[in-house]
Amino acid sequence: MPDAVMLFAAGFGTRMGALTADRPKPLIAVAGRPLLDHALALTAGVPTRVVNAHYRAEQVISHLKDTNIAVSVETPEILDTGGGLRHALPLLGTQPVYTLNTDAVWSRPNPLDRLAAAWQPDRMDALLLCIPLDRAVGRSGSGDFALGPDGALMRGGDFVYTGAQIIKTDALAGIGEKAFSLNLLWNQMAQEGRLFGTAYPGRWCDVGHPEGITLAEEMLANV
C-alpha cells in the first residue's frame, strides 16, 4: 500500500457561495468539524500526508501548524488536480500515492483500506474508488464511469468517482501544461488498458455545494 497521500484542498469553493467568503471550503464545518479534518481522519495511518492550498492558504497552514502534515501552496495560480499533484511530488516522493478530495464525507469502511486491498500495481497505473450513482448522496447528474467485469474503467456509465484513488505519478512529467486535470493522465492510462476502478460498498456524500452539508450530516447521523 502507498505510504503517501495527497489531499486536494486548493479549490476556490465558488459553489459554496457565501460560506467561503471568509474561509476556504476545506475549513467549512460538517457535523462539528472541518471537512479537511474528516478527510485527515481517514488518512491517519499513512506516514506522509500533504495538503495543497491556494485560496486563503494561510488559514490551511494555520489549521495544520501543530501537525506533521506538509502544505503545498499553489501560487500565484491554482494548478488543478494534475498540476497540483506534480507540484507536490517533492513532498510526496516517487512511489504510487493515494489522493483524496476533501469536499466529500464517507460512511464506513475507510476508502483507503478498500483501495489498498484491490491495488495490483503490476497491471494498474491508477485505481479509482467509485460508487454506484444511486448511493452517491448529494450527487446530481449522470455517472462518470462504467466498471468492466475485470475492473477496467470506461467513460460513461452509472459509477461516480468518489475522489479517492491510488495513482502512479511517473507520467506527470510528460505533460506540458502547468495547470491540468488528472483526467489527462487517466485518458492516457485508459488507452493503455491501465486504468481501473473498484466499487465502494458504503455511503458517500458530495459536499461541494451548500446543500451537501445537511445531507452529509444526515448520512453521518445514520451510520
mmCIF file of all heavy atoms in Angstrom, residues 92-122:
data_model
loop_
_atom_site.group_PDB
_atom_site.id
_atom_site.type_symbol
_atom_site.label_atom_id
_atom_site.label_comp_id
_atom_site.label_asym_id
_atom_site.label_seq_id
_atom_site.Cartn_x
_atom_site.Cartn_y
_atom_site.Cartn_z
ATOM 1 N N LEU A 92 5.949 14.315 -1.628
ATOM 2 C CA LEU A 92 5.282 13.010 -1.624
ATOM 3 C C LEU A 92 6.220 11.857 -1.938
ATOM 4 O O LEU A 92 5.993 10.727 -1.506
ATOM 5 C CB LEU A 92 4.136 13.003 -2.647
ATOM 6 C CG LEU A 92 2.934 13.875 -2.325
ATOM 7 C CD1 LEU A 92 2.087 14.107 -3.582
ATOM 8 C CD2 LEU A 92 2.081 13.244 -1.227
ATOM 9 N N GLY A 93 7.252 12.098 -2.732
ATOM 10 C CA GLY A 93 8.120 11.020 -3.179
ATOM 11 C C GLY A 93 7.713 10.513 -4.543
ATOM 12 O O GLY A 93 6.799 11.028 -5.185
ATOM 13 N N THR A 94 8.374 9.459 -4.993
ATOM 14 C CA THR A 94 8.205 8.975 -6.365
ATOM 15 C C THR A 94 7.361 7.717 -6.485
ATOM 16 O O THR A 94 7.072 7.274 -7.590
ATOM 17 C CB THR A 94 9.578 8.707 -6.988
ATOM 18 O OG1 THR A 94 10.270 7.720 -6.202
ATOM 19 C CG2 THR A 94 10.415 9.975 -7.044
ATOM 20 N N GLN A 95 6.967 7.134 -5.389
ATOM 21 C CA GLN A 95 6.174 5.908 -5.431
ATOM 22 C C GLN A 95 4.692 6.230 -5.656
ATOM 23 O O GLN A 95 4.274 7.383 -5.529
ATOM 24 C CB GLN A 95 6.357 5.126 -4.126
ATOM 25 C CG GLN A 95 7.783 4.692 -3.855
ATOM 26 C CD GLN A 95 8.348 3.836 -4.975
ATOM 27 O OE1 GLN A 95 7.728 2.848 -5.382
ATOM 28 N NE2 GLN A 95 9.514 4.203 -5.493
ATOM 29 N N PRO A 96 3.865 5.229 -5.982
ATOM 30 C CA PRO A 96 2.429 5.484 -6.098
ATOM 31 C C PRO A 96 1.878 6.108 -4.818
ATOM 32 O O PRO A 96 2.348 5.813 -3.717
ATOM 33 C CB PRO A 96 1.846 4.078 -6.323
ATOM 34 C CG PRO A 96 2.960 3.306 -6.959
ATOM 35 C CD PRO A 96 4.215 3.827 -6.313
ATOM 36 N N VAL A 97 0.882 6.972 -4.975
ATOM 37 C CA VAL A 97 0.312 7.690 -3.838
ATOM 38 C C VAL A 97 -1.206 7.548 -3.834
ATOM 39 O O VAL A 97 -1.836 7.307 -4.863
ATOM 40 C CB VAL A 97 0.667 9.193 -3.873
ATOM 41 C CG1 VAL A 97 2.172 9.391 -3.808
ATOM 42 C CG2 VAL A 97 0.089 9.882 -5.117
ATOM 43 N N TYR A 98 -1.777 7.687 -2.647
ATOM 44 C CA TYR A 98 -3.208 7.927 -2.549
ATOM 45 C C TYR A 98 -3.467 9.394 -2.882
ATOM 46 O O TYR A 98 -2.644 10.266 -2.563
ATOM 47 C CB TYR A 98 -3.716 7.713 -1.119
ATOM 48 C CG TYR A 98 -3.627 6.339 -0.548
ATOM 49 C CD1 TYR A 98 -2.690 6.043 0.455
ATOM 50 C CD2 TYR A 98 -4.508 5.331 -0.939
ATOM 51 C CE1 TYR A 98 -2.639 4.785 1.034
ATOM 52 C CE2 TYR A 98 -4.451 4.068 -0.368
ATOM 53 C CZ TYR A 98 -3.519 3.805 0.612
ATOM 54 O OH TYR A 98 -3.457 2.560 1.183
ATOM 55 N N THR A 99 -4.612 9.682 -3.486
ATOM 56 C CA THR A 99 -5.105 11.052 -3.482
ATOM 57 C C THR A 99 -6.535 11.022 -2.961
ATOM 58 O O THR A 99 -7.260 10.044 -3.149
ATOM 59 C CB THR A 99 -5.059 11.737 -4.871
ATOM 60 O OG1 THR A 99 -6.133 11.281 -5.701
ATOM 61 C CG2 THR A 99 -3.726 11.514 -5.552
ATOM 62 N N LEU A 100 -6.906 12.109 -2.296
ATOM 63 C CA LEU A 100 -8.222 12.166 -1.659
ATOM 64 C C LEU A 100 -8.759 13.587 -1.740
ATOM 65 O O LEU A 100 -8.084 14.536 -1.311
ATOM 66 C CB LEU A 100 -8.102 11.734 -0.195
ATOM 67 C CG LEU A 100 -9.397 11.578 0.603
ATOM 68 C CD1 LEU A 100 -10.262 10.444 0.048
ATOM 69 C CD2 LEU A 100 -9.085 11.314 2.077
ATOM 70 N N ASN A 101 -9.945 13.740 -2.308
ATOM 71 C CA ASN A 101 -10.605 15.042 -2.295
ATOM 72 C C ASN A 101 -11.113 15.340 -0.889
ATOM 73 O O ASN A 101 -11.527 14.426 -0.160
ATOM 74 C CB ASN A 101 -11.771 15.068 -3.273
ATOM 75 C CG ASN A 101 -11.329 14.980 -4.721
ATOM 76 O OD1 ASN A 101 -10.143 15.058 -5.030
ATOM 77 N ND2 ASN A 101 -12.282 14.814 -5.621
ATOM 78 N N THR A 102 -11.118 16.612 -0.520
ATOM 79 C CA THR A 102 -11.555 16.980 0.829
ATOM 80 C C THR A 102 -12.985 17.504 0.865
ATOM 81 O O THR A 102 -13.455 17.888 1.939
ATOM 82 C CB THR A 102 -10.612 18.042 1.432
ATOM 83 O OG1 THR A 102 -10.573 19.188 0.578
ATOM 84 C CG2 THR A 102 -9.203 17.476 1.582
ATOM 85 N N ASP A 103 -13.682 17.504 -0.270
ATOM 86 C CA ASP A 103 -15.066 18.011 -0.278
ATOM 87 C C ASP A 103 -16.080 16.876 -0.351
ATOM 88 O O ASP A 103 -17.092 16.968 -1.043
ATOM 89 C CB ASP A 103 -15.272 19.009 -1.415
ATOM 90 C CG ASP A 103 -14.977 18.415 -2.786
ATOM 91 O OD1 ASP A 103 -14.519 17.256 -2.866
ATOM 92 O OD2 ASP A 103 -15.210 19.128 -3.790
ATOM 93 N N ALA A 104 -15.793 15.806 0.370
ATOM 94 C CA ALA A 104 -16.716 14.673 0.464
ATOM 95 C C ALA A 104 -16.629 14.089 1.868
ATOM 96 O O ALA A 104 -15.626 14.253 2.563
ATOM 97 C CB ALA A 104 -16.386 13.604 -0.574
ATOM 98 N N VAL A 105 -17.692 13.415 2.269
ATOM 99 C CA VAL A 105 -17.738 12.739 3.571
ATOM 100 C C VAL A 105 -18.130 11.293 3.315
ATOM 101 O O VAL A 105 -18.961 11.002 2.442
ATOM 102 C CB VAL A 105 -18.737 13.442 4.518
ATOM 103 C CG1 VAL A 105 -18.979 12.617 5.766
ATOM 104 C CG2 VAL A 105 -18.202 14.822 4.909
ATOM 105 N N TRP A 106 -17.539 10.393 4.087
ATOM 106 C CA TRP A 106 -17.694 8.958 3.882
ATOM 107 C C TRP A 106 -18.359 8.297 5.085
ATOM 108 O O TRP A 106 -18.140 8.700 6.234
ATOM 109 C CB TRP A 106 -16.332 8.307 3.704
ATOM 110 C CG TRP A 106 -15.512 8.877 2.596
ATOM 111 C CD1 TRP A 106 -14.842 10.076 2.589
ATOM 112 C CD2 TRP A 106 -15.265 8.291 1.326
ATOM 113 N NE1 TRP A 106 -14.198 10.248 1.401
ATOM 114 C CE2 TRP A 106 -14.437 9.176 0.602
ATOM 115 C CE3 TRP A 106 -15.659 7.081 0.737
ATOM 116 C CZ2 TRP A 106 -13.988 8.898 -0.682
ATOM 117 C CZ3 TRP A 106 -15.219 6.807 -0.537
ATOM 118 C CH2 TRP A 106 -14.399 7.710 -1.239
ATOM 119 N N SER A 107 -19.115 7.247 4.835
ATOM 120 C CA SER A 107 -19.501 6.318 5.894
ATOM 121 C C SER A 107 -18.493 5.169 5.862
ATOM 122 O O SER A 107 -17.555 5.177 5.080
ATOM 123 C CB SER A 107 -20.926 5.808 5.667
ATOM 124 O OG SER A 107 -20.979 4.975 4.523
ATOM 125 N N ARG A 108 -18.679 4.180 6.698
ATOM 126 C CA ARG A 108 -17.755 3.049 6.712
ATOM 127 C C ARG A 108 -17.884 2.251 5.413
ATOM 128 O O ARG A 108 -18.934 2.243 4.806
ATOM 129 C CB ARG A 108 -18.064 2.133 7.909
ATOM 130 C CG ARG A 108 -17.999 2.826 9.249
ATOM 131 C CD ARG A 108 -18.237 1.810 10.373
ATOM 132 N NE ARG A 108 -18.323 2.483 11.656
ATOM 133 C CZ ARG A 108 -19.454 2.894 12.224
ATOM 134 N NH1 ARG A 108 -20.599 2.707 11.604
ATOM 135 N NH2 ARG A 108 -19.437 3.484 13.397
ATOM 136 N N PRO A 109 -16.794 1.548 4.989
ATOM 137 C CA PRO A 109 -15.459 1.428 5.575
ATOM 138 C C PRO A 109 -14.531 2.545 5.095
ATOM 139 O O PRO A 109 -14.914 3.364 4.255
ATOM 140 C CB PRO A 109 -14.992 0.074 5.051
ATOM 141 C CG PRO A 109 -15.628 -0.021 3.692
ATOM 142 C CD PRO A 109 -16.986 0.625 3.850
ATOM 143 N N ASN A 110 -13.301 2.532 5.615
ATOM 144 C CA ASN A 110 -12.318 3.523 5.210
ATOM 145 C C ASN A 110 -12.001 3.335 3.722
ATOM 146 O O ASN A 110 -11.610 2.248 3.291
ATOM 147 C CB ASN A 110 -11.038 3.368 6.033
ATOM 148 C CG ASN A 110 -10.036 4.484 5.781
ATOM 149 O OD1 ASN A 110 -9.696 4.787 4.651
ATOM 150 N ND2 ASN A 110 -9.544 5.075 6.862
ATOM 151 N N PRO A 111 -12.139 4.386 2.907
ATOM 152 C CA PRO A 111 -11.899 4.230 1.471
ATOM 153 C C PRO A 111 -10.473 3.836 1.123
ATOM 154 O O PRO A 111 -10.249 3.100 0.151
ATOM 155 C CB PRO A 111 -12.256 5.609 0.907
ATOM 156 C CG PRO A 111 -12.160 6.548 2.061
ATOM 157 C CD PRO A 111 -12.569 5.759 3.253
ATOM 158 N N LEU A 112 -9.504 4.302 1.898
ATOM 159 C CA LEU A 112 -8.115 3.957 1.588
ATOM 160 C C LEU A 112 -7.853 2.472 1.820
ATOM 161 O O LEU A 112 -7.063 1.848 1.098
ATOM 162 C CB LEU A 112 -7.152 4.807 2.407
ATOM 163 C CG LEU A 112 -7.258 6.329 2.250
ATOM 164 C CD1 LEU A 112 -6.049 7.010 2.886
ATOM 165 C CD2 LEU A 112 -7.432 6.754 0.811
ATOM 166 N N ASP A 113 -8.515 1.891 2.806
ATOM 167 C CA ASP A 113 -8.380 0.451 3.042
ATOM 168 C C ASP A 113 -8.927 -0.337 1.859
ATOM 169 O O ASP A 113 -8.359 -1.360 1.461
ATOM 170 C CB ASP A 113 -9.118 0.044 4.315
ATOM 171 C CG ASP A 113 -8.463 0.583 5.575
ATOM 172 O OD1 ASP A 113 -7.291 1.002 5.511
ATOM 173 O OD2 ASP A 113 -9.131 0.596 6.630
ATOM 174 N N ARG A 114 -10.045 0.111 1.295
ATOM 175 C CA ARG A 114 -10.634 -0.564 0.133
ATOM 176 C C ARG A 114 -9.678 -0.493 -1.059
ATOM 177 O O ARG A 114 -9.500 -1.462 -1.792
ATOM 178 C CB ARG A 114 -11.971 0.070 -0.235
ATOM 179 C CG ARG A 114 -13.031 -0.043 0.837
ATOM 180 C CD ARG A 114 -13.487 -1.472 1.065
ATOM 181 N NE ARG A 114 -14.073 -2.076 -0.131
ATOM 182 C CZ ARG A 114 -14.656 -3.276 -0.146
ATOM 183 N NH1 ARG A 114 -14.718 -3.995 0.967
ATOM 184 N NH2 ARG A 114 -15.154 -3.754 -1.262
ATOM 185 N N LEU A 115 -9.067 0.663 -1.257
ATOM 186 C CA LEU A 115 -8.129 0.800 -2.362
ATOM 187 C C LEU A 115 -6.905 -0.092 -2.171
ATOM 188 O O LEU A 115 -6.457 -0.774 -3.107
ATOM 189 C CB LEU A 115 -7.699 2.262 -2.484
ATOM 190 C CG LEU A 115 -8.735 3.220 -3.066
ATOM 191 C CD1 LEU A 115 -8.313 4.668 -2.828
ATOM 192 C CD2 LEU A 115 -8.952 2.968 -4.553
ATOM 193 N N ALA A 116 -6.355 -0.096 -0.962
ATOM 194 C CA ALA A 116 -5.166 -0.901 -0.691
ATOM 195 C C ALA A 116 -5.423 -2.375 -0.950
ATOM 196 O O ALA A 116 -4.563 -3.083 -1.489
ATOM 197 C CB ALA A 116 -4.695 -0.678 0.746
ATOM 198 N N ALA A 117 -6.614 -2.843 -0.589
ATOM 199 C CA ALA A 117 -6.943 -4.254 -0.759
ATOM 200 C C ALA A 117 -7.070 -4.650 -2.232
ATOM 201 O O ALA A 117 -6.824 -5.803 -2.594
ATOM 202 C CB ALA A 117 -8.243 -4.570 -0.026
ATOM 203 N N ALA A 118 -7.437 -3.700 -3.086
ATOM 204 C CA ALA A 118 -7.676 -4.006 -4.506
ATOM 205 C C ALA A 118 -6.508 -3.624 -5.413
ATOM 206 O O ALA A 118 -6.522 -3.946 -6.603
ATOM 207 C CB ALA A 118 -8.942 -3.283 -4.972
ATOM 208 N N TRP A 119 -5.497 -2.949 -4.893
ATOM 209 C CA TRP A 119 -4.408 -2.422 -5.707
ATOM 210 C C TRP A 119 -3.517 -3.543 -6.237
ATOM 211 O O TRP A 119 -3.039 -4.384 -5.489
ATOM 212 C CB TRP A 119 -3.587 -1.457 -4.866
ATOM 213 C CG TRP A 119 -2.363 -0.859 -5.481
ATOM 214 C CD1 TRP A 119 -1.089 -0.949 -4.998
ATOM 215 C CD2 TRP A 119 -2.274 -0.036 -6.656
ATOM 216 N NE1 TRP A 119 -0.222 -0.238 -5.793
ATOM 217 C CE2 TRP A 119 -0.926 0.344 -6.819
ATOM 218 C CE3 TRP A 119 -3.227 0.425 -7.583
ATOM 219 C CZ2 TRP A 119 -0.489 1.144 -7.880
ATOM 220 C CZ3 TRP A 119 -2.799 1.228 -8.629
ATOM 221 C CH2 TRP A 119 -1.443 1.579 -8.770
ATOM 222 N N GLN A 120 -3.311 -3.542 -7.545
ATOM 223 C CA GLN A 120 -2.442 -4.513 -8.218
ATOM 224 C C GLN A 120 -1.494 -3.742 -9.140
ATOM 225 O O GLN A 120 -1.789 -3.527 -10.320
ATOM 226 C CB GLN A 120 -3.271 -5.510 -9.033
ATOM 227 C CG GLN A 120 -4.230 -6.343 -8.198
ATOM 228 C CD GLN A 120 -5.080 -7.271 -9.055
ATOM 229 O OE1 GLN A 120 -4.594 -7.894 -10.002
ATOM 230 N NE2 GLN A 120 -6.355 -7.357 -8.730
ATOM 231 N N PRO A 121 -0.366 -3.303 -8.621
ATOM 232 C CA PRO A 121 0.499 -2.403 -9.392
ATOM 233 C C PRO A 121 1.072 -3.009 -10.655
ATOM 234 O O PRO A 121 1.480 -2.278 -11.563
ATOM 235 C CB PRO A 121 1.605 -2.047 -8.391
ATOM 236 C CG PRO A 121 1.570 -3.130 -7.366
ATOM 237 C CD PRO A 121 0.150 -3.564 -7.270
ATOM 238 N N ASP A 122 1.098 -4.337 -10.763
ATOM 239 C CA ASP A 122 1.633 -4.946 -11.974
ATOM 240 C C ASP A 122 0.738 -4.712 -13.184
ATOM 241 O O ASP A 122 1.221 -4.680 -14.315
ATOM 242 C CB ASP A 122 1.829 -6.456 -11.770
ATOM 243 C CG ASP A 122 0.552 -7.164 -11.346
ATOM 244 O OD1 ASP A 122 -0.280 -6.526 -10.670
ATOM 245 O OD2 ASP A 122 0.380 -8.349 -11.683
#
